[in-house]
Amino acid sequence: MERQHEGRDRRRGARFPAVVAALLAAGLAVGGCGAGGGRSSSDEGLKSGGRTAPAAPDGGRAGTAAPQEGEQRSPAPAPDYLSTFALDVDTASYGYARRTLAEGRLPDPTTVRPEEFVNSFRPDYPRPEDNGFSVTLDGARAGAEGWSLLRVGLATRGADRNAERPPAALTFVVDVSGSMDEPGRLDLVKESLGLLAGQLRDDDSIALVTFSSEAETRLPMTRVGGARDRIREVVGSLGTSSSTNVGAGVRTGYDVAVEGHRKGATNRVVLLSDALANTGDTEAEPILARIDEERREYGITLFGVGVGSEYGDEFMERLADKGDGQTTYVSNSAQARKVFVDQLPSHVELRARDAKAQVAFDRRTVEKFRLVGYENRAVADDDFRDDRVDGGEIGAGHTVTALYAVKTRPGAAGPLATATVRWLDPATRAPHERSGALGTAALTGDIWGEGHDSLQLTAIAAYFADALRGGDLPGAPGLPVLVNRAGAIADRSGSAVVTELADAIRHASGLLAPEDEEPSGEGESRSGDPYS
């Protein structure tokens, strides 16, 4: 399948009203700089405290922030040398692929979203001191002639568990249909909610709706303080029955969320389900319309938590997209604890709304480029500074990574790319921007050189996802080589999540037919230009 994203394709791409905000990142922080060194918003070439951005291709339309005092706009790059997308730190695709592979099956290629594989790991990017973003760029040569990998890393300041934050008003919509009776489904949901009850603050609120063939409100919006025992009692009483009417569950959940809406709070619907709708509104469109309506009117967003060996990934992804939310997937107690306990502050403490990124490549040094993944997060280039166009929600302590395959012009030297993130303040909706830049000199190192574990891990995750989709990402080693590379990083870092990645790649290598995988020895990669 042709998935090249050359510069000229970026201006043709249809806008998808993308949506993202991260409620989950797998908790790895592998240190070390990228090969060739990196440049961030705090350390190089940025005027006015790192707020300089390429000029808007539309000349500055509605929603554009005025330049700050002393800030300069650089000349607009050619439109076909821009890449624009809404931020995304969903991870459900990677989590579900790991489970599928562990059960001896290859995931459906349509469920493999490379950005979710990449964002399942947390590089140790610098953190900003304020409530904005840091912007870090690094890269290295990728083995194939003329091709390099360029990484754009964005990060927000972490949550302070002792600091004040807006209260949370969370409406949980729990699937109790017959399909949830499989061991590890409803039990895992109940365990997750029990953990959550002990983590929320007294001033937070919680509601609980269940659905099978019909939906039922089990707990109206209730302040947590003084009601923890009642919450646990309701959760403990959940049992399975009948068929799966996701539409009824979502409609009732949003009814309860609207009724219990709290001004100034983080209002969110959390759907816990295998998303295998088989009765009622089994088509997504009527459900999507309701989700979009309440998001726009009340600011209620949707977080989808997938469970089960059979999982409606595409359906859940569409629901979360329309709800300006995100998805994750849990298959065991450790993952449930990570989502509902370890990362809870990020779930309810926002740093940014409608966050988008735009990368401007310099056509004097760049011949071609391709963004790895983010197909359903694409934003029209001239909508980058139109704040009416949806972006993604980003929480405290989150990281967002975008990886590009870049082919430089022979012998070219100088500026390579400038990455700009734009977001709205969660409280005031005032727009802000921050940028970082990188030159060709940063691409002199080999990505597989020593001391570059962080960038290597990003590349391994991207190459792995691309292989599962039957792709041709330049410089890709064979899966056996990726197993060895991931295993070496796991040994050096002692990271359990990198060990899980190595195991998943090993399972995939064993399942792929020999003709589907190119033989490759250690250190060998595809050469040449697959797009010539």
Side-chain angles (χ1 to χ4, degrees), residues 249-284:
V250 171
R251 283 194 304 272
T252 302
Y254 271 85
D255 287 342
V256 171
V258 169
E259 184 178 348
H261 179 267
R262 294 178 61 183
K263 189 175 182 179
T266 300
N267 293 271
R268 182 156 296 160
V269 170
V270 183
L271 175 62
L272 298 101
S273 174
D274 57 19
L276 299 174
N278 59 21
T279 191
D281 283 331
T282 58
E283 297 297 325

Side-chain angles (χ1 to χ4, degrees), residues 5 9 16 47 65 78 90 96 121 152 192 195 197 215 231 236 238 248 309 318 362 398 409 435 446 457 508:
H5 291 266
D9 294 332
F16 194 96
K47 297 183 175 61
D90 285 0
Y96 186 51
F121 304 91
V152 177
S192 300
L195 291 169
I231 294 169
L238 300 182
S309 57
R318 293 187 67 193
D362 193 312
H398 283 146
R409 298 186 185 278
S435 297
D446 187 326
L457 184 59

Side-chain angles (χ1 to χ4, degrees), residues 193 196-198 200-207 219-235:
L193 293 177
L196 180 72
L200 292 175
R201 300 182 182 182
D202 288 348
D203 192 38
D204 294 329
S205 300
I206 188 172
L219 183 72
M221 193 64 73
T222 303
R223 296 291 176 102
V224 173
R228 296 182 196 274
D229 290 341
R230 181 185 175 199
I231 294 169
R232 291 190 178 96
E233 182 180 347
V234 172
V235 170

Side-chain angles (χ1 to χ4, degrees), residues 50 84 107 155-156 180 201 212 277 281 308-309 327 350 400 412-413 432 446 465 468 501 508:
T84 310
T156 59
M180 293 291 288
R201 300 182 182 182
S212 54
D281 283 331
S309 57
T327 63
L350 288 182
V400 181
H432 300 276
D446 187 326
L468 291 174
L501 172 63

Side-chain angles (χ1 to χ4, degrees), residues 21-74:
L23 288 167
L24 175 72
L28 171 70
V30 176
C33 64
R39 298 292 184 266
S40 75
S41 57
S42 60
D43 60 25
E44 180 174 283
L46 300 172
K47 297 183 175 61
S48 192
R51 291 188 292 273
T52 300
D58 59 3
R61 54 195 286 182
T64 298
Q68 312 232 355
E69 182 178 355
E71 183 178 16
Q72 300 177 10
R73 298 286 197 199
S74 58

